[in-house]
Every structure is written in C-alpha cells, then in structure tokens.
mmCIF file of all heavy atoms in Angstrom:
data_model
loop_
_atom_site.group_PDB
_atom_site.id
_atom_site.type_symbol
_atom_site.label_atom_id
_atom_site.label_comp_id
_atom_site.label_asym_id
_atom_site.label_seq_id
_atom_site.Cartn_x
_atom_site.Cartn_y
_atom_site.Cartn_z
ATOM 1 N N HIS A 1 -0.678 -187.052 -1.557
ATOM 2 C CA HIS A 1 -0.275 -188.032 -2.714
ATOM 3 C C HIS A 1 -0.570 -189.400 -2.443
ATOM 4 O O HIS A 1 -0.971 -190.185 -3.400
ATOM 5 C CB HIS A 1 1.226 -187.678 -2.973
ATOM 6 C CG HIS A 1 1.404 -186.535 -3.736
ATOM 7 N ND1 HIS A 1 1.203 -186.016 -4.977
ATOM 8 C CD2 HIS A 1 1.974 -185.252 -3.072
ATOM 9 C CE1 HIS A 1 1.502 -184.801 -5.223
ATOM 10 N NE2 HIS A 1 1.947 -184.267 -4.054
ATOM 11 N N ALA A 2 -0.447 -189.784 -1.278
ATOM 12 C CA ALA A 2 -0.782 -191.264 -0.873
ATOM 13 C C ALA A 2 -2.403 -191.467 -1.081
ATOM 14 O O ALA A 2 -2.663 -192.479 -1.519
ATOM 15 C CB ALA A 2 -0.477 -191.563 0.622
ATOM 16 N N GLN A 3 -3.175 -190.444 -0.693
ATOM 17 C CA GLN A 3 -4.567 -190.609 -0.897
ATOM 18 C C GLN A 3 -4.925 -190.789 -2.493
ATOM 19 O O GLN A 3 -5.701 -191.525 -2.958
ATOM 20 C CB GLN A 3 -5.373 -189.358 -0.292
ATOM 21 C CG GLN A 3 -5.316 -189.307 1.208
ATOM 22 C CD GLN A 3 -6.157 -188.197 1.775
ATOM 23 O OE1 GLN A 3 -5.874 -186.986 1.191
ATOM 24 N NE2 GLN A 3 -6.934 -188.401 2.726
ATOM 25 N N LYS A 4 -4.200 -189.950 -3.189
ATOM 26 C CA LYS A 4 -4.365 -189.955 -4.657
ATOM 27 C C LYS A 4 -3.850 -191.282 -5.292
ATOM 28 O O LYS A 4 -4.593 -191.926 -6.140
ATOM 29 C CB LYS A 4 -3.689 -188.850 -5.357
ATOM 30 C CG LYS A 4 -4.173 -187.523 -5.113
ATOM 31 C CD LYS A 4 -3.394 -186.393 -5.746
ATOM 32 C CE LYS A 4 -3.978 -184.995 -5.472
ATOM 33 N NZ LYS A 4 -3.253 -183.960 -6.182
ATOM 34 N N PHE A 5 -2.865 -191.834 -4.619
ATOM 35 C CA PHE A 5 -2.308 -193.159 -5.094
ATOM 36 C C PHE A 5 -3.383 -194.271 -4.841
ATOM 37 O O PHE A 5 -3.732 -195.017 -5.668
ATOM 38 C CB PHE A 5 -0.971 -193.474 -4.446
ATOM 39 C CG PHE A 5 -0.210 -194.668 -4.995
ATOM 40 C CD1 PHE A 5 0.033 -194.815 -6.334
ATOM 41 C CD2 PHE A 5 0.093 -195.619 -4.082
ATOM 42 C CE1 PHE A 5 0.810 -196.004 -6.772
ATOM 43 C CE2 PHE A 5 0.786 -196.833 -4.509
ATOM 44 C CZ PHE A 5 1.014 -196.938 -5.866
ATOM 45 N N VAL A 6 -3.947 -194.184 -3.658
ATOM 46 C CA VAL A 6 -5.017 -195.288 -3.336
ATOM 47 C C VAL A 6 -6.207 -195.003 -4.235
ATOM 48 O O VAL A 6 -6.805 -195.934 -4.631
ATOM 49 C CB VAL A 6 -5.398 -195.042 -1.851
ATOM 50 C CG1 VAL A 6 -6.589 -196.049 -1.568
ATOM 51 C CG2 VAL A 6 -4.210 -195.467 -0.997
ATOM 52 N N MET A 7 -6.569 -193.796 -4.477
ATOM 53 C CA MET A 7 -7.701 -193.584 -5.365
ATOM 54 C C MET A 7 -7.362 -194.018 -6.735
ATOM 55 O O MET A 7 -8.251 -194.608 -7.438
ATOM 56 C CB MET A 7 -7.964 -191.938 -5.449
ATOM 57 C CG MET A 7 -9.306 -191.491 -5.574
ATOM 58 S SD MET A 7 -9.414 -189.713 -5.605
ATOM 59 C CE MET A 7 -8.393 -189.078 -4.270
ATOM 60 N N PHE A 8 -6.190 -193.854 -7.212
ATOM 61 C CA PHE A 8 -5.815 -194.371 -8.536
ATOM 62 C C PHE A 8 -5.886 -195.891 -8.466
ATOM 63 O O PHE A 8 -6.453 -196.452 -9.457
ATOM 64 C CB PHE A 8 -4.270 -194.059 -8.846
ATOM 65 C CG PHE A 8 -3.663 -194.933 -9.739
ATOM 66 C CD1 PHE A 8 -3.912 -194.912 -11.140
ATOM 67 C CD2 PHE A 8 -2.664 -195.848 -9.266
ATOM 68 C CE1 PHE A 8 -3.298 -195.734 -11.949
ATOM 69 C CE2 PHE A 8 -2.142 -196.773 -10.147
ATOM 70 C CZ PHE A 8 -2.341 -196.731 -11.516
ATOM 71 N N TYR A 9 -5.411 -196.579 -7.473
ATOM 72 C CA TYR A 9 -5.608 -197.990 -7.436
ATOM 73 C C TYR A 9 -7.060 -198.454 -7.332
ATOM 74 O O TYR A 9 -7.293 -199.403 -8.180
ATOM 75 C CB TYR A 9 -4.892 -198.500 -6.137
ATOM 76 C CG TYR A 9 -4.936 -200.007 -5.991
ATOM 77 C CD1 TYR A 9 -4.269 -200.895 -6.819
ATOM 78 C CD2 TYR A 9 -5.978 -200.589 -5.082
ATOM 79 C CE1 TYR A 9 -4.445 -202.246 -6.627
ATOM 80 C CE2 TYR A 9 -6.264 -201.985 -5.090
ATOM 81 C CZ TYR A 9 -5.431 -202.770 -5.758
ATOM 82 O OH TYR A 9 -5.550 -204.107 -5.790
ATOM 83 N N GLU A 10 -7.870 -197.773 -6.663
ATOM 84 C CA GLU A 10 -9.309 -198.080 -6.682
ATOM 85 C C GLU A 10 -9.878 -198.121 -8.034
ATOM 86 O O GLU A 10 -10.624 -199.032 -8.492
ATOM 87 C CB GLU A 10 -10.129 -197.122 -5.876
ATOM 88 C CG GLU A 10 -10.191 -197.267 -4.492
ATOM 89 C CD GLU A 10 -10.959 -196.161 -3.779
ATOM 90 O OE1 GLU A 10 -11.941 -195.623 -4.444
ATOM 91 O OE2 GLU A 10 -10.642 -195.834 -2.543
ATOM 92 N N ARG A 11 -9.589 -197.082 -8.848
ATOM 93 C CA ARG A 11 -10.132 -196.953 -10.104
ATOM 94 C C ARG A 11 -9.486 -197.930 -11.139
ATOM 95 O O ARG A 11 -10.273 -198.517 -11.943
ATOM 96 C CB ARG A 11 -9.886 -195.438 -10.566
ATOM 97 C CG ARG A 11 -10.574 -194.504 -9.801
ATOM 98 C CD ARG A 11 -10.408 -193.060 -10.143
ATOM 99 N NE ARG A 11 -11.161 -192.049 -9.330
ATOM 100 C CZ ARG A 11 -10.948 -190.817 -9.269
ATOM 101 N NH1 ARG A 11 -10.159 -190.189 -10.161
ATOM 102 N NH2 ARG A 11 -11.681 -190.139 -8.459
ATOM 103 N N LEU A 12 -8.210 -198.146 -10.954
ATOM 104 C CA LEU A 12 -7.646 -199.178 -11.804
ATOM 105 C C LEU A 12 -8.184 -200.510 -11.537
ATOM 106 O O LEU A 12 -8.426 -201.358 -12.463
ATOM 107 C CB LEU A 12 -6.170 -199.163 -11.656
ATOM 108 C CG LEU A 12 -5.239 -200.217 -12.505
ATOM 109 C CD1 LEU A 12 -5.493 -199.893 -13.920
ATOM 110 C CD2 LEU A 12 -3.843 -200.074 -12.117
ATOM 111 N N PHE A 13 -8.338 -200.871 -10.325
ATOM 112 C CA PHE A 13 -8.996 -202.164 -9.885
ATOM 113 C C PHE A 13 -10.348 -202.354 -10.581
ATOM 114 O O PHE A 13 -10.659 -203.411 -11.078
ATOM 115 C CB PHE A 13 -9.021 -202.263 -8.346
ATOM 116 C CG PHE A 13 -9.420 -203.581 -7.691
ATOM 117 C CD1 PHE A 13 -8.567 -204.627 -7.519
ATOM 118 C CD2 PHE A 13 -10.922 -203.841 -7.686
ATOM 119 C CE1 PHE A 13 -8.928 -205.911 -7.019
ATOM 120 C CE2 PHE A 13 -11.209 -205.081 -7.222
ATOM 121 C CZ PHE A 13 -10.341 -206.016 -6.943
ATOM 122 N N THR A 14 -11.168 -201.276 -10.424
ATOM 123 C CA THR A 14 -12.449 -201.400 -10.987
ATOM 124 C C THR A 14 -12.405 -201.573 -12.448
ATOM 125 O O THR A 14 -13.125 -202.290 -13.091
ATOM 126 C CB THR A 14 -13.272 -200.117 -10.641
ATOM 127 O OG1 THR A 14 -13.399 -200.072 -9.157
ATOM 128 C CG2 THR A 14 -14.652 -200.078 -11.230
ATOM 129 N N LYS A 15 -11.576 -200.703 -13.131
ATOM 130 C CA LYS A 15 -11.423 -200.682 -14.663
ATOM 131 C C LYS A 15 -11.119 -202.098 -15.105
ATOM 132 O O LYS A 15 -11.637 -202.619 -16.084
ATOM 133 C CB LYS A 15 -10.389 -199.760 -15.106
ATOM 134 C CG LYS A 15 -10.224 -199.793 -16.619
ATOM 135 C CD LYS A 15 -9.245 -198.682 -16.953
ATOM 136 C CE LYS A 15 -9.084 -198.608 -18.409
ATOM 137 N NZ LYS A 15 -10.303 -198.203 -19.226
ATOM 138 N N CYS A 16 -10.223 -202.767 -14.440
ATOM 139 C CA CYS A 16 -9.662 -204.077 -14.787
ATOM 140 C C CYS A 16 -10.430 -205.189 -14.147
ATOM 141 O O CYS A 16 -9.951 -206.426 -14.282
ATOM 142 C CB CYS A 16 -8.177 -204.083 -14.516
ATOM 143 S SG CYS A 16 -7.197 -203.047 -15.645
ATOM 144 N N ALA A 17 -11.383 -204.922 -13.311
ATOM 145 C CA ALA A 17 -12.234 -205.990 -12.620
ATOM 146 C C ALA A 17 -11.348 -206.874 -11.714
ATOM 147 O O ALA A 17 -11.514 -208.058 -11.666
ATOM 148 C CB ALA A 17 -13.063 -206.811 -13.627
ATOM 149 N N GLY A 18 -10.193 -206.250 -11.230
ATOM 150 C CA GLY A 18 -9.313 -206.910 -10.274
ATOM 151 C C GLY A 18 -8.383 -207.810 -10.927
ATOM 152 O O GLY A 18 -7.620 -208.505 -10.418
ATOM 153 N N ASN A 19 -8.284 -207.843 -12.280
ATOM 154 C CA ASN A 19 -7.403 -208.743 -13.004
ATOM 155 C C ASN A 19 -5.879 -208.237 -12.930
ATOM 156 O O ASN A 19 -5.690 -207.111 -13.444
ATOM 157 C CB ASN A 19 -7.812 -208.855 -14.500
ATOM 158 C CG ASN A 19 -7.042 -209.678 -15.301
ATOM 159 O OD1 ASN A 19 -5.840 -209.507 -15.457
ATOM 160 N ND2 ASN A 19 -7.544 -210.745 -15.873
ATOM 161 N N GLU A 20 -5.102 -208.935 -12.259
ATOM 162 C CA GLU A 20 -3.765 -208.464 -12.069
ATOM 163 C C GLU A 20 -2.911 -208.214 -13.336
ATOM 164 O O GLU A 20 -2.340 -207.155 -13.346
ATOM 165 C CB GLU A 20 -3.055 -209.549 -11.238
ATOM 166 C CG GLU A 20 -1.568 -209.221 -10.811
ATOM 167 C CD GLU A 20 -0.946 -210.218 -9.877
ATOM 168 O OE1 GLU A 20 -1.579 -211.099 -9.389
ATOM 169 O OE2 GLU A 20 0.275 -210.062 -9.675
ATOM 170 N N SER A 21 -3.012 -209.078 -14.234
ATOM 171 C CA SER A 21 -2.220 -208.836 -15.550
ATOM 172 C C SER A 21 -2.806 -207.602 -16.213
ATOM 173 O O SER A 21 -2.026 -206.840 -16.797
ATOM 174 C CB SER A 21 -2.252 -210.040 -16.346
ATOM 175 O OG SER A 21 -3.452 -210.478 -16.732
ATOM 176 N N CYS A 22 -4.074 -207.432 -16.146
ATOM 177 C CA CYS A 22 -4.667 -206.243 -16.949
ATOM 178 C C CYS A 22 -4.188 -204.980 -16.126
ATOM 179 O O CYS A 22 -3.830 -203.998 -16.858
ATOM 180 C CB CYS A 22 -6.133 -206.299 -16.863
ATOM 181 S SG CYS A 22 -7.134 -204.814 -17.404
ATOM 182 N N MET A 23 -4.181 -204.983 -14.890
ATOM 183 C CA MET A 23 -3.790 -203.817 -14.130
ATOM 184 C C MET A 23 -2.380 -203.522 -14.422
ATOM 185 O O MET A 23 -1.937 -202.267 -14.669
ATOM 186 C CB MET A 23 -4.008 -203.953 -12.639
ATOM 187 C CG MET A 23 -5.539 -204.152 -12.280
ATOM 188 S SD MET A 23 -5.866 -204.608 -10.594
ATOM 189 C CE MET A 23 -5.401 -203.214 -9.693
ATOM 190 N N CYS A 24 -1.489 -204.457 -14.336
ATOM 191 C CA CYS A 24 0.002 -204.227 -14.629
ATOM 192 C C CYS A 24 0.297 -203.728 -16.042
ATOM 193 O O CYS A 24 1.016 -202.890 -16.266
ATOM 194 C CB CYS A 24 0.810 -205.528 -14.252
ATOM 195 S SG CYS A 24 0.821 -205.814 -12.473
ATOM 196 N N HIS A 25 -0.418 -204.376 -16.997
ATOM 197 C CA HIS A 25 -0.256 -203.944 -18.399
ATOM 198 C C HIS A 25 -0.817 -202.533 -18.578
ATOM 199 O O HIS A 25 -0.122 -201.692 -19.169
ATOM 200 C CB HIS A 25 -1.164 -204.859 -19.208
ATOM 201 C CG HIS A 25 -1.094 -204.578 -20.694
ATOM 202 N ND1 HIS A 25 -0.013 -204.723 -21.470
ATOM 203 C CD2 HIS A 25 -1.962 -203.935 -21.435
ATOM 204 C CE1 HIS A 25 -0.204 -204.223 -22.713
ATOM 205 N NE2 HIS A 25 -1.445 -203.788 -22.737
ATOM 206 N N TRP A 26 -1.969 -202.198 -18.072
ATOM 207 C CA TRP A 26 -2.418 -200.874 -18.232
ATOM 208 C C TRP A 26 -1.516 -199.770 -17.659
ATOM 209 O O TRP A 26 -1.287 -198.736 -18.192
ATOM 210 C CB TRP A 26 -3.913 -200.735 -17.588
ATOM 211 C CG TRP A 26 -4.584 -199.420 -17.815
ATOM 212 C CD1 TRP A 26 -5.465 -199.162 -18.708
ATOM 213 C CD2 TRP A 26 -4.372 -198.215 -17.146
ATOM 214 N NE1 TRP A 26 -5.808 -197.874 -18.728
ATOM 215 C CE2 TRP A 26 -5.122 -197.214 -17.648
ATOM 216 C CE3 TRP A 26 -3.598 -197.722 -16.021
ATOM 217 C CZ2 TRP A 26 -5.281 -195.868 -17.240
ATOM 218 C CZ3 TRP A 26 -3.699 -196.496 -15.540
ATOM 219 C CH2 TRP A 26 -4.498 -195.597 -16.119
ATOM 220 N N LEU A 27 -0.928 -200.103 -16.507
ATOM 221 C CA LEU A 27 -0.114 -199.241 -15.800
ATOM 222 C C LEU A 27 1.162 -198.890 -16.559
ATOM 223 O O LEU A 27 1.686 -197.799 -16.515
ATOM 224 C CB LEU A 27 0.394 -199.834 -14.424
ATOM 225 C CG LEU A 27 1.183 -199.050 -13.492
ATOM 226 C CD1 LEU A 27 0.404 -197.804 -13.129
ATOM 227 C CD2 LEU A 27 1.536 -199.863 -12.248
ATOM 228 N N ARG A 28 1.646 -199.848 -17.378
ATOM 229 C CA ARG A 28 2.876 -199.755 -18.162
ATOM 230 C C ARG A 28 2.810 -199.506 -19.696
ATOM 231 O O ARG A 28 3.833 -199.312 -20.276
ATOM 232 C CB ARG A 28 3.662 -201.081 -17.947
ATOM 233 C CG ARG A 28 4.276 -201.084 -16.462
ATOM 234 C CD ARG A 28 4.757 -202.438 -16.052
ATOM 235 N NE ARG A 28 5.232 -202.537 -14.606
ATOM 236 C CZ ARG A 28 4.516 -202.522 -13.620
ATOM 237 N NH1 ARG A 28 3.220 -202.657 -13.665
ATOM 238 N NH2 ARG A 28 5.059 -202.493 -12.395
ATOM 239 N N LYS A 29 1.619 -199.541 -20.152
ATOM 240 C CA LYS A 29 1.317 -199.324 -21.573
ATOM 241 C C LYS A 29 1.326 -197.790 -21.969
ATOM 242 O O LYS A 29 0.751 -197.032 -21.351
ATOM 243 C CB LYS A 29 0.099 -199.952 -22.017
ATOM 244 C CG LYS A 29 -0.190 -199.890 -23.504
ATOM 245 C CD LYS A 29 -1.375 -200.489 -23.879
ATOM 246 C CE LYS A 29 -1.662 -200.337 -25.415
ATOM 247 N NZ LYS A 29 -2.993 -200.515 -25.837
ATOM 248 N N HIS A 30 2.104 -197.545 -22.951
ATOM 249 C CA HIS A 30 2.082 -196.080 -23.394
ATOM 250 C C HIS A 30 0.832 -195.646 -23.885
ATOM 251 O O HIS A 30 -0.005 -196.374 -24.518
ATOM 252 C CB HIS A 30 3.095 -195.924 -24.646
ATOM 253 C CG HIS A 30 3.172 -194.563 -25.161
ATOM 254 N ND1 HIS A 30 3.978 -193.608 -24.682
ATOM 255 C CD2 HIS A 30 2.522 -193.976 -26.154
ATOM 256 C CE1 HIS A 30 3.976 -192.523 -25.215
ATOM 257 N NE2 HIS A 30 2.914 -192.636 -26.211
ATOM 258 N N ARG A 31 0.368 -194.455 -23.524
ATOM 259 C CA ARG A 31 -0.887 -193.750 -23.887
ATOM 260 C C ARG A 31 -0.521 -192.427 -24.534
ATOM 261 O O ARG A 31 0.094 -191.672 -23.923
ATOM 262 C CB ARG A 31 -1.795 -193.587 -22.699
ATOM 263 C CG ARG A 31 -2.227 -194.832 -21.938
ATOM 264 C CD ARG A 31 -3.165 -194.496 -20.923
ATOM 265 N NE ARG A 31 -4.299 -193.692 -21.290
ATOM 266 C CZ ARG A 31 -5.560 -194.146 -21.554
ATOM 267 N NH1 ARG A 31 -5.810 -195.449 -21.291
ATOM 268 N NH2 ARG A 31 -6.515 -193.258 -21.972
ATOM 269 N N GLU A 32 -0.975 -192.183 -25.645
ATOM 270 C CA GLU A 32 -0.796 -191.036 -26.454
ATOM 271 C C GLU A 32 -1.445 -189.810 -25.760
ATOM 272 O O GLU A 32 -0.859 -188.702 -25.754
ATOM 273 C CB GLU A 32 -1.279 -191.142 -27.922
ATOM 274 C CG GLU A 32 -0.663 -190.107 -28.829
ATOM 275 C CD GLU A 32 0.739 -190.033 -28.845
ATOM 276 O OE1 GLU A 32 1.530 -191.046 -28.809
ATOM 277 O OE2 GLU A 32 1.311 -188.922 -28.824
ATOM 278 N N ASP A 33 -2.454 -190.036 -25.100
ATOM 279 C CA ASP A 33 -3.359 -188.901 -24.518
ATOM 280 C C ASP A 33 -2.458 -188.182 -23.391
ATOM 281 O O ASP A 33 -2.677 -186.977 -23.029
ATOM 282 C CB ASP A 33 -4.627 -189.274 -24.033
ATOM 283 C CG ASP A 33 -4.747 -190.557 -23.256
ATOM 284 O OD1 ASP A 33 -3.717 -191.121 -22.921
ATOM 285 O OD2 ASP A 33 -5.874 -190.824 -22.843
ATOM 286 N N ILE A 34 -1.571 -189.029 -22.703
ATOM 287 C CA ILE A 34 -0.732 -188.401 -21.607
ATOM 288 C C ILE A 34 0.802 -188.446 -21.969
ATOM 289 O O ILE A 34 1.594 -188.130 -21.187
ATOM 290 C CB ILE A 34 -1.013 -189.027 -20.198
ATOM 291 C CG1 ILE A 34 -0.747 -190.622 -20.285
ATOM 292 C CG2 ILE A 34 -2.367 -188.771 -19.741
ATOM 293 C CD1 ILE A 34 -0.695 -191.278 -18.975
ATOM 294 N N LYS A 35 0.890 -188.869 -23.183
ATOM 295 C CA LYS A 35 2.358 -188.913 -23.745
ATOM 296 C C LYS A 35 3.283 -189.802 -22.918
ATOM 297 O O LYS A 35 4.445 -189.428 -22.606
ATOM 298 C CB LYS A 35 2.942 -187.456 -23.929
ATOM 299 C CG LYS A 35 2.229 -186.493 -24.644
ATOM 300 C CD LYS A 35 2.081 -186.900 -26.080
ATOM 301 C CE LYS A 35 1.440 -185.758 -26.891
ATOM 302 N NZ LYS A 35 0.349 -186.167 -27.716
ATOM 303 N N GLY A 36 2.829 -190.950 -22.501
ATOM 304 C CA GLY A 36 3.689 -191.783 -21.767
ATOM 305 C C GLY A 36 2.831 -192.961 -21.088
ATOM 306 O O GLY A 36 1.584 -192.901 -21.243
ATOM 307 N N ALA A 37 3.506 -193.900 -20.419
ATOM 308 C CA ALA A 37 2.922 -194.917 -19.687
ATOM 309 C C ALA A 37 2.417 -194.249 -18.331
ATOM 310 O O ALA A 37 3.270 -193.550 -17.735
ATOM 311 C CB ALA A 37 3.804 -196.009 -19.568
ATOM 312 N N PRO A 38 1.266 -194.586 -17.908
ATOM 313 C CA PRO A 38 0.808 -194.016 -16.630
ATOM 314 C C PRO A 38 1.886 -194.198 -15.439
ATOM 315 O O PRO A 38 2.048 -193.184 -14.667
ATOM 316 C CB PRO A 38 -0.571 -194.841 -16.293
ATOM 317 C CG PRO A 38 -1.074 -195.140 -17.701
ATOM 318 C CD PRO A 38 0.237 -195.438 -18.544
ATOM 319 N N LEU A 39 2.421 -195.333 -15.352
ATOM 320 C CA LEU A 39 3.398 -195.410 -14.256
ATOM 321 C C LEU A 39 4.444 -194.422 -14.373
ATOM 322 O O LEU A 39 4.837 -193.730 -13.401
ATOM 323 C CB LEU A 39 4.054 -196.848 -14.274
ATOM 324 C CG LEU A 39 5.204 -197.092 -13.268
ATOM 325 C CD1 LEU A 39 4.740 -196.972 -11.903
ATOM 326 C CD2 LEU A 39 5.840 -198.443 -13.438
ATOM 327 N N TYR A 40 5.059 -194.244 -15.514
ATOM 328 C CA TYR A 40 6.204 -193.273 -15.653
ATOM 329 C C TYR A 40 5.795 -191.842 -15.708
ATOM 330 O O TYR A 40 6.539 -190.982 -15.227
ATOM 331 C CB TYR A 40 7.009 -193.740 -16.875
ATOM 332 C CG TYR A 40 7.444 -195.109 -16.847
ATOM 333 C CD1 TYR A 40 6.990 -196.087 -17.599
ATOM 334 C CD2 TYR A 40 8.339 -195.416 -15.773
ATOM 335 C CE1 TYR A 40 7.310 -197.423 -17.470
ATOM 336 C CE2 TYR A 40 8.671 -196.871 -15.633
ATOM 337 C CZ TYR A 40 8.278 -197.781 -16.463
ATOM 338 O OH TYR A 40 8.574 -199.124 -16.281
ATOM 339 N N VAL A 41 4.481 -191.584 -16.004
ATOM 340 C CA VAL A 41 3.915 -190.266 -15.930
ATOM 341 C C VAL A 41 3.870 -189.889 -14.376
ATOM 342 O O VAL A 41 4.259 -188.810 -14.078
ATOM 343 C CB VAL A 41 2.579 -190.200 -16.613
ATOM 344 C CG1 VAL A 41 1.837 -188.928 -16.236
ATOM 345 C CG2 VAL A 41 2.817 -190.230 -18.162
ATOM 346 N N MET A 42 3.460 -190.776 -13.650
ATOM 347 C CA MET A 42 3.397 -190.635 -12.169
ATOM 348 C C MET A 42 4.709 -190.490 -11.551
ATOM 349 O O MET A 42 4.874 -189.643 -10.589
ATOM 350 C CB MET A 42 2.608 -191.634 -11.459
ATOM 351 C CG MET A 42 1.139 -191.765 -11.839
ATOM 352 S SD MET A 42 0.053 -192.848 -10.804
ATOM 353 C CE MET A 42 0.737 -194.397 -11.238
ATOM 354 N N VAL A 43 5.586 -191.355 -11.979
ATOM 355 C CA VAL A 43 6.843 -191.476 -11.247
ATOM 356 C C VAL A 43 7.944 -190.478 -11.736
ATOM 357 O O VAL A 43 8.513 -189.691 -11.005
ATOM 358 C CB VAL A 43 7.489 -192.878 -11.453
ATOM 359 C CG1 VAL A 43 8.944 -192.914 -10.913
ATOM 360 C CG2 VAL A 43 6.606 -193.850 -10.718
#
C-alpha cells in the first residue's frame, strides 16, 4: 500500500505540475466517478 501511495503521489504531482494548491484541491474535491473525494475514498 505504501508503494501505491507513492505511485499515487507521483501521478498527482505530474497532473498538477507540482502545484501544491492544485494537488490539495484535487485530493479533497468530490468526484462523481468514484462517488467521493479521492482522499476519503482512499482513507
């Protein structure tokens, strides 16, 4: 799971071009396709 978490971070970092606020927002924003915010879906 730690490997997957680092993989997740790599992909998020790339998606948001390293922009901290973009990354934090994406992590906490509700997404209909997974029925929740990515952070809470993982946690």
